[in-house]
Amino acid sequence: MDVLSAIAQRREITRFKPDPVPREVLDQLARALYLAPSGNNLPSREFILVEGKETLRVLASVTPYMRWLEEAAGAAVIIADPHVSKYWLQDASIAGGFLWLAAVSLGLGAAWGAVYHAEDEAESRRREDVVRRALDIPDSYRVVAVLGFGYPAAEPGPKEMIPMERVLHRERYGS
């Protein structure tokens, strides 16, 4: 599947079939993460692939909005080291987008579970600490997100988009 098709088909999938994801597909997801760009090509973001059901249950408890992780076949935990690059958050977010599109292109569904909370440092630390403890992540790293994936339990309907003219401007704002 070409990248524009993957972008058009991407949905947030939070219901998954119980089928495991084959190793060769997991390897392709890992490669997508690895190849994602980063500011100045610095390795500010790192990844932990998780398939264990007990670990997925722990990760699902991070917020009430991530319970769907219990059904996922796997997840990629995206962490970042702010000491490596000032672009750590952007680098981690871009990698998550690459993973999501790769998952769609491989017939998987995915959903983004936000861990880092830019507006509430205490809540962010609470969420990040749950993930840190579960995965032995050093305190110097920030836990940005958990991207769960698996085979979709159902095909979602079409996206309801706002008009492109509302968000796309050419040459100047409002034009």
Side-chain angles (χ1 to χ4, degrees):
M1 173 183 302
D2 67 271
V3 71
L4 290 176
S5 295
I7 290 169
Q9 290 182 25
R10 187 214 51 82
R11 303 286 189 283
E12 184 168 59
I13 303 297
T14 58
R15 301 291 319 266
F16 301 97
K17 293 178 181 176
D19 307 350
V21 175
R23 177 65 46 205
E24 57 272 8
V25 174
L26 288 173
D27 290 345
Q28 289 178 293
L29 295 177
R31 186 157 170 75
L33 287 166
Y34 174 72
L35 292 173
S38 63
N40 300 318
N41 201 33
L42 294 171
S44 67
R45 74 287 186 276
E46 297 180 33
F47 320 102
I48 303 166
L49 289 178
V50 175
E51 295 177 85
K53 284 299 184 186
E54 186 53 41
T55 305
L56 289 170
R57 271 191 284 285
V58 171
L59 296 176
S61 74
V62 169
T63 78
Y65 309 107
M66 289 172 48
R67 286 291 175 202
W68 48 266
L69 263 174
E70 292 182 22
E71 288 186 28
V77 178
I78 303 171
I79 62 175
D81 187 344
H83 301 99
V84 171
S85 172
K86 64 184 176 184
Y87 302 116
W88 63 272
L89 183 57
Q90 293 91 332
D91 295 344
S93 298
I94 290 167
F98 271 52
L99 174 65
W100 203 335
L101 294 177
V104 171
S105 76
L106 296 166
L108 300 172
W112 182 275
V115 178
Y116 173 75
H117 194 309
E119 295 177 351
D120 186 338
E121 184 63 28
E123 176 63 13
S124 190
R125 282 291 170 185
R126 186 198 66 73
R127 292 177 183 186
E128 291 179 74
D129 285 345
V130 171
V131 180
R132 271 193 198 92
R133 283 191 302 273
L135 302 176
D136 298 324
I137 299 168
D139 288 340
S140 60
Y141 284 82
R142 300 306 304 254
V143 181
V144 177
V146 178
L147 203 76
F149 53 82
Y151 292 99
E155 288 300 316
K159 289 182 198 174
E160 291 194 26
M161 303 290 293
I162 60 173
M164 186 183 289
E165 299 78 30
R166 170 64 184 86
V167 297
L168 179 68
H169 309 276
R170 296 188 186 268
E171 304 295 336
R172 289 181 159 56
Y173 184 85
S175 58

